[in-house]
Amino acid sequence: KKKRALPDDLVADWRQFERELSTAERACGQGGGPVFAFVEGALVTALKEGRWILLDEINLAPAETLERLGGVLESAHGSVVLSERGDGAAVPRHPRFRLFGAMNPATDVGKRDLPAALKHRFTEIYAGECEQREDLALLVKQGLRDAAPGSAVEAI
């Protein structure tokens, strides 16, 4: 049976993984325990790079998380300090950053409402069940026409 060569990008990914694993093994060998590192998530990346992000079921997030979102949304120059990162430096909000929160009504079993201080920083839009792609595209086009004029809806 003839062996096929692996794609170059896959080989590169495995070599990078091998280097990272080797680094982790050396770090564990020095102190005898695991080493932890802070890794920025999607929200921090969106905040820094001016991306749009959707936080689904936002009302179920822990209170500490919701408090931090308040700092980001308090003004166009809002920021967040990531104490987990250890440097105490604020992560500033990029001018193009947009945050969308989706939630089921607080009347559903096990659901709760957003804290009032945070809820007032959002524009509420009630949307029924979107079953078709066209329904979602219409909602985005109508709901965001003023916030993002001329933006492409086809990517949805």
Side-chain angles (χ1 to χ4, degrees):
K1 197 172 183 181
K2 193 175 189 180
K3 290 185 179 182
R4 294 187 316 208
L6 294 174
D8 291 340
D9 58 335
L10 182 59
V11 172
D13 287 346
W14 275 107
R15 288 197 173 127
Q16 178 64 28
F17 174 74
E18 181 181 31
R19 286 189 295 276
E20 291 172 3
L21 181 60
S22 178
T23 300
E25 286 174 335
R26 281 193 307 274
C28 287
Q30 292 172 357
V35 175
F36 295 96
F38 177 78
V39 177
E40 293 179 352
L43 177 60
V44 175
T45 301
L47 184 67
K48 289 168 55 175
E49 297 179 4
R51 296 183 183 179
W52 292 18
I53 189 165
L54 168 67
L55 302 181
D56 194 19
E57 299 286 355
I58 190 172
N59 57 322
L60 300 181
E64 301 81 24
T65 302
L66 296 176
E67 286 176 22
R68 289 184 178 192
L69 288 178
V72 170
L73 300 175
E74 70 186 20
S75 74
H77 304 289
S79 64
V80 65
V81 174
L82 303 171
S83 56
E84 300 85 353
R85 195 166 62 180
D87 61 7
V91 177
R93 174 179 159 177
H94 192 285
R96 289 192 310 262
F97 171 76
R98 297 292 182 269
L99 174 67
F100 298 87
M103 60 182 265
N104 291 319
T107 56
D108 287 0
V109 176
K111 305 293 182 192
R112 61 183 184 269
D113 211 351
L114 283 175
L118 185 61
K119 186 175 184 177
H120 295 306
R121 298 187 189 280
F122 287 95
T123 300
E124 278 188 68
I125 300 172
Y126 175 79
E129 187 81 24
C130 290
E131 296 181 7
Q132 301 293 323
R133 182 183 186 98
E134 293 78 21
D135 295 338
L136 182 59
L138 180 63
L139 177 67
V140 170
K141 190 172 191 174
Q142 293 299 312
L144 301 178
R145 71 173 169 247
D146 295 332
S151 59
V153 176
E154 295 78 27
I156 296 175

